[in-house]
Amino acid sequence: MAAPSAEQSIIDVEMKNVDSPAEEVTDSEQKGSDASIILDIRENIRQIERGVATKESRFITRILRTILAIRKDLNSNILTSVVNGFYTHSASEKEFMLSFFDDQMEVESALVPVAGANAQRMRTAKNSSCPLLPEVDAYIHLLLILYLIDQSKYVAAQKCSDALMDKLSAHSRRTLDLIQARSFFYHMRAYELNDQLDACRPLFHAKLRTATLRNDFEGQAVLINCLLRSYLHYSLYDQADKLVSKSVFPETASNNEWARFLYYVGRIKAIRLEYTEAHTNLVQALRKAPQTTAVGFRQAVQKLVVTVELLLGDIPDRLIFREAAMRTALQPYFELTQAVRLGNLHTFSDVLNKFSAQFRLDKTFLMIIRLRHNVIKTGIRAIAASYSRITPENIARTLGLDSAQDAECIIAKAIRDGVLEAIIDPVNGYMQTKELVDIYCTAEPQIAFHERTAFCLELHNQSVKAMRYPPKSYGKDLESAEERREREQQDLELAKEMAEDEDDGFP
């Protein structure tokens, strides 16, 4: 066997010397990243404790906004370190939290100090034997639920969420409201992923009554959205409509909750044939939704907006389908819009058969079936614009209808709905179109102008309500009682001086 050449041995040595340091750098970077996340979690817990001590909700609101950023970097090493560091008062609770990690090595790895993470103890020796604040306990439970959901451990996430609900039910603290509201959402999400969304409905009804009585606006908004999502998941539109009509959505809710609520209401109204209200709610949902993130939510809303606009007889703007985030998701709806715009019934049937699975997945299939009448009306309108007199047989042949009687019935309904300005002559057997009337002689411009004005006023009112003001800043410019007395004394002295000057001016 020939000995390896000098070049090959040099290459092997160089590869070994290059690979091993890279692995060490990767491990050290991972440890440094874990340490920074642990420090961030510890700092967030300190902010929660500060918010509880001062009873200021803005500290907890700030922490909940960062929970999604922390979620991206969560792993078993971080969570086990946090559990071991904070659950020093109860061995049973620590054991329960660590039981969600399958691999025993993951639990033991938390006992190994992470670089920089244990530079300071997570809890002081004085507080190590005291129970955690309910807010801190709920926050750590939330992080664990998010990790289990991301790891597709849905049963374990549901078990952890049930334990969190039991703990929250045992406390009645106003500082828990914001964290409790977020916990309700992920409790619903855990049950939804396990296909048991209806099982948490009784709990949410009870919590909604409590939140309404306590004026817990954030919890009330989240619970209403969770219940609506549960009803719509099982196509219980009547129950969802009753919930919307008998409950009042809090105006002080966050924009994200408002966007969800308006989307759910838009779906309900669209199913119940109230297309104008549905379109208004869906457009407001798009405006309140995040413009750079939540792409999936905006796609779902936009699909429903396109469908409702087609049902209203309008054609969506082509620019909607050209957006980078919407182009692929709205491709079936773009082809559907083209079929409706052309009034071609055969093309509409082909698009419906081609994308029926996607439409069913988007839960717009039932509404798209209703578009068949709109396609026929569009075709009849195009025929009426081309012919002043035409027989129902020719209309049925052009639109691909079954018989002339069907065409005559559809023409009569279009005339009654105001789609056509025509008359049917049953003696001679043809449709006679009327001369076009100047639209500016009718009330349609006034109606359109009124709708635009009402929309602008509503947008202004919503913008004013969405403005944020610094907390407790309304009293900064107000003077105290002592300052008011000094000002009044100075005004009195100034008045006396002015009176004396006036007296000196006259002999």
Side-chain angles (χ1 to χ4, degrees):
M1 185 174 180
S5 63
E7 294 181 357
Q8 293 178 350
S9 62
I10 292 173
I11 293 173
D12 293 341
V13 171
E14 288 179 353
M15 290 178 64
K16 290 180 181 179
N17 290 336
V18 169
D19 289 345
S20 55
E23 294 178 358
E24 294 176 359
V25 170
T26 303
D27 294 339
S28 62
E29 289 179 354
Q30 182 64 33
K31 290 181 179 179
S33 175
D34 292 350
S36 64
I37 297 301
I38 292 174
L39 292 176
D40 290 341
I41 294 174
R42 186 174 63 185
E43 182 61 28
N44 289 344
I45 290 175
R46 288 180 178 175
Q47 292 295 325
I48 292 174
E49 293 173 347
R50 182 183 177 187
V52 173
T54 59
K55 296 183 180 180
E56 289 284 351
S57 61
R58 57 191 175 94
F59 295 106
I60 300 178
T61 302
R62 190 182 306 160
I63 298 307
L64 292 178
R65 288 176 185 167
T66 63
I67 196 169
L68 294 180
I70 294 177
R71 176 182 183 176
K72 300 177 182 178
D73 300 320
L74 282 179
N75 55 43
S76 58
N77 188 22
I78 294 174
L79 288 173
T80 48
S81 299
V82 170
V83 170
N84 281 307
F86 282 98
Y87 286 86
T88 56
H89 62 285
S90 175
S92 59
E93 290 189 18
K94 180 193 294 187
E95 183 179 356
F96 173 77
M97 298 288 282
L98 295 178
S99 65
F100 293 104
F101 302 97
D102 297 331
D103 193 358
Q104 185 64 22
M105 295 298 294
E106 294 181 354
V107 179
E108 293 177 356
S109 64
L111 302 177
V112 179
V114 181
N118 290 332
Q120 296 179 358
R121 300 185 62 180
M122 295 189 184
R123 299 188 72 184
T124 61
K126 181 179 179 180
N127 297 329
S128 60
S129 60
C130 299
L132 285 175
L133 290 175
E135 293 80 5
V136 175
D137 190 15
Y139 176 72
I140 298 176
H141 272 78
L142 269 180
L143 295 179
L144 180 56
I145 292 171
L146 290 175
Y147 169 75
L148 294 174
I149 290 176
D150 293 340
Q151 296 297 317
S152 300
K153 300 178 181 179
Y154 302 137
V155 178
Q158 181 177 341
K159 181 181 178 182
C160 183
S161 181
D162 289 335
L164 177 57
M165 289 296 108
D166 293 338
K167 289 185 176 182
L168 293 176
S169 299
H171 300 282
S172 179
R173 297 160 61 102
R174 298 313 303 264
T175 51
L176 262 175
D177 289 348
L178 295 176
I179 300 179
Q180 185 173 236
R182 187 65 63 91
S183 302
F184 289 149
F185 175 79
Y186 288 112
H187 182 69
M188 177 272 300
R189 184 61 180 156
Y191 273 81
E192 184 181 27
L193 293 172
N194 286 309
D195 199 15
Q196 300 178 9
L197 191 54
D198 56 335
C200 59
R201 205 179 297 158
L203 173 66
F204 287 160
H205 278 294
K207 294 294 184 181
L208 178 59
R209 289 193 296 269
T210 304
T212 305
L213 293 174
R214 297 178 57 196
N215 291 329
D216 178 10
F217 300 120
E218 190 66 22
Q220 189 177 350
V222 173
L223 289 167
I224 290 175
N225 285 335
C226 289
L227 287 171
L228 289 176
R229 182 167 179 164
S230 176
Y231 286 133
L232 295 179
H233 180 77
Y234 295 100
S235 300
L236 301 175
Y237 294 101
D238 291 337
Q239 288 88 331
D241 185 61
K242 290 180 181 178
L243 177 63
V244 172
S245 62
K246 294 183 180 297
S247 60
V248 179
F249 197 81
E251 295 184 357
T252 57
S254 62
N255 280 345
N256 292 340
E257 298 303 327
W258 263 112
R260 292 190 183 100
F261 177 74
L262 292 170
Y263 168 65
Y264 295 145
V265 173
R267 279 186 58 186
I268 295 169
K269 298 297 182 182
I271 291 295
R272 296 176 63 85
L273 308 180
E274 300 174 12
Y275 299 131
T276 303
E277 295 184 14
H279 185 263
T280 303
N281 288 315
L282 292 172
V283 170
Q284 289 182 357
L286 275 177
R287 291 183 178 276
K288 287 186 175 293
Q291 300 302 312
T292 57
T293 57
V295 178
F297 177 79
R298 289 191 290 116
Q299 288 177 352
V301 178
Q302 194 64 66
K303 291 175 183 178
L304 199 54
V305 169
V306 171
T307 306
V308 172
E309 286 183 355
L310 292 175
L311 287 169
L312 285 171
D314 300 331
I315 301 299
D317 190 359
R318 185 181 289 267
L319 294 176
I320 297 174
F321 304 100
R322 293 180 178 177
E323 294 183 15
M326 302 287 179
R327 186 181 296 114
T328 304
L330 295 182
Q331 181 62 31
Y333 296 87
F334 177 68
E335 298 185 18
L336 180 68
T337 302
Q338 288 182 322
V340 175
R341 183 177 62 85
L342 297 174
N344 193 325
L345 199 58
H346 297 290
T347 306
F348 174 77
S349 300
D350 294 340
V351 172
L352 190 61
N353 294 329
K354 180 180 178 182
F355 298 105
S356 60
Q358 182 64 40
F359 293 149
R360 293 180 188 275
L361 184 63
D362 297 335
K363 295 185 178 181
T364 57
F365 184 75
L366 294 177
M367 288 181 284
I368 290 174
I369 290 177
R370 302 174 189 170
L371 284 174
R372 186 175 184 273
H373 298 285
N374 294 59
V375 176
I376 295 173
K377 288 179 181 179
T378 304
I380 292 175
R381 192 185 296 113
I383 292 172
S386 303
Y387 299 92
S388 61
R389 183 183 297 177
I390 188 171
T391 61
E393 289 80 5
N394 292 332
I395 293 176
R397 190 182 307 111
T398 303
L399 297 179
L401 301 177
D402 296 333
S403 62
Q405 288 77 12
D406 292 343
E408 189 172 352
C409 293
I410 292 172
I411 293 170
K413 188 175 186 304
I415 294 173
R416 187 191 65 181
D417 295 341
V419 177
L420 291 178
E421 291 292 336
I423 58 173
I424 298 176
D425 190 347
V427 178
N428 299 319
Y430 59 80
M431 179 189 72
Q432 177 73 41
T433 58
K434 297 180 180 179
E435 295 183 1
L436 295 177
V437 182
D438 186 8
I439 193 173
Y440 290 99
C441 297
T442 64
E444 290 192 14
Q446 181 182 357
I447 295 173
F449 183 72
H450 173 71
E451 290 179 354
R452 295 176 183 178
T453 305
F455 175 78
C456 292
L457 291 174
E458 181 63 23
L459 182 61
H460 173 266
N461 293 335
Q462 293 293 334
S463 301
V464 171
K465 292 178 182 178
M467 292 177 66
R468 294 179 179 176
Y469 302 93
K472 293 184 178 180
S473 62
Y474 53 85
K476 288 184 178 180
D477 297 333
L478 299 179
E479 58 183 1
S480 61
E482 184 178 355
E483 293 174 347
R484 185 176 66 255
R485 285 194 297 269
E486 292 180 358
R487 180 177 57 80
E488 291 175 353
Q489 184 65 27
Q490 293 175 359
D491 293 343
L492 184 60
E493 293 177 357
L494 180 61
K496 289 180 179 180
E497 291 178 0
M498 293 177 62
E500 292 175 358
D501 293 340
E502 290 178 357
D503 293 341
D504 294 340
F506 295 94

